[in-house]
Amino acid sequence: MCSRYHMDGELLRELEKGWIDPETEKEENADFLSFLSASHDVCPSMKAPVLIHEPCEAPGKFHLREYRWGFPGVEGKGLVINARCETALEKKMFAESVEKRRCLIPASGFYEWSERKDKYFFTPKRAAGTEGGLLMMAGFYRKWEGEERFVILTTRANASVSRIHPRMPLILGRADAEKWLEEGCEISAQLEKEPEELEREQLGQLSLFG
């Protein structure tokens, strides 16, 4: 599962590399952009940036929106923050949103905890001497009581993560991420993608809330 991820101060700069139009976003989301320029963790129930594509617009034109992480659970109990790629299209709670309201959740990295509660941080692989990087996690959203909320899709862990945890976010490379937002996306094919290899850093033996 994915229960916490990180955004560093370089995230906005990374998104400006062809993902968003800086001038348009400054006009539409002036207050929100400062959130993207800060370094902090994102936890369930928090508001966070997502990328969407408006159906009426040309492919490749994306917009930032501020949605809340998690769907209320059955009868309002608990919070559903992840959905399994293998079953998302079969679940009544998720199916329509996956088909009609897909989004990307930008991150600098995400955390996972081993069975021993050792905390690890996963980030994009990058060339020696370079900094930053961007992970695009696949997700979907829907409106709940007047507020847009999103869920992150998870898949079977690849070699980078499997020694720590059996699941990981569905991370899409640039081309697949753009397809994920398009109206005519081959959803099943995207849900079967294996995420790219990642860097792994152990941060210490901490509790899930440490």
Side-chain angles (χ1 to χ4, degrees):
M1 65 182 294
C2 176
S3 60
R4 186 180 301 184
Y5 62 93
H6 183 72
M7 297 167 48
D8 65 24
E10 296 296 312
L11 190 66
L12 180 58
R13 187 176 300 177
E14 292 293 330
L15 288 171
E16 290 176 346
K17 295 177 181 178
W19 287 103
I20 62 172
D21 177 5
E23 295 306 316
T24 299
E25 296 299 335
K26 286 177 183 177
E27 293 177 5
E28 297 180 353
N29 300 303
D31 296 334
F32 183 41
L33 292 187
S34 61
F35 179 79
L36 288 170
S37 300
S39 180
H40 50 79
D41 289 349
V42 179
C43 303
S45 81
M46 287 179 61
K47 286 188 175 181
V50 303
L51 276 177
I52 66 168
H53 173 252
E54 301 288 358
C56 60
E57 293 187 317
K61 186 172 179 60
F62 309 123
H63 297 279
L64 276 172
R65 296 290 184 266
E66 187 178 17
Y67 293 167
R68 193 175 299 280
W69 186 9
F71 287 4
V74 178
E75 297 182 355
K77 297 179 181 178
L79 200 64
V80 179
I81 61 174
N82 295 151
R84 296 173 72 94
C85 287
E86 298 90 337
T87 58
L89 288 172
E90 302 169 5
K91 301 286 187 180
K92 183 177 180 181
M93 179 183 284
F94 306 140
E96 183 186 17
S97 296
V98 176
E99 292 173 353
K100 299 180 179 179
R101 294 180 292 275
R102 293 181 298 280
C103 64
L104 294 168
I105 301 94
S108 307
F110 67 92
Y111 302 96
E112 200 51 80
W113 286 259
S114 68
E115 290 185 356
R116 301 192 325 173
K117 303 302 182 186
D118 292 326
K119 184 179 182 181
Y120 291 83
F121 186 48
F122 296 90
T123 55
K125 279 188 175 292
R126 47 188 178 267
T130 62
E131 296 182 358
L134 180 66
L135 295 178
M136 282 296 186
M137 301 183 290
F140 53 89
Y141 64 95
R142 65 166 292 182
K143 185 168 289 188
W144 224 293
E145 296 183 349
E147 181 179 51
E148 299 287 4
R149 292 172 171 263
F150 71 91
V151 163
I152 295 174
L153 282 156
T154 67
T155 189
R156 185 169 51 249
N158 64 15
S160 302
V161 183
S162 59
R163 291 178 58 189
I164 309 305
H165 197 277
R167 307 290 298 177
M168 67 180 292
L170 176 59
I171 297 167
L172 299 175
R174 180 67 183 246
D176 287 325
E178 291 185 1
K179 290 177 183 177
W180 179 251
L181 295 185
E182 292 177 2
E183 192 170 5
C185 170
E186 294 184 11
I187 300 171
S188 296
Q190 296 295 85
L191 291 175
E192 294 173 358
K193 296 287 184 179
E194 180 175 333
E196 62 192 45
E197 293 296 304
L198 303 170
E199 302 282 356
R200 182 178 69 214
E201 177 185 4
Q202 184 172 351
L203 300 181
Q205 192 172 29
L206 301 171
S207 73
L208 183 60
F209 304 100

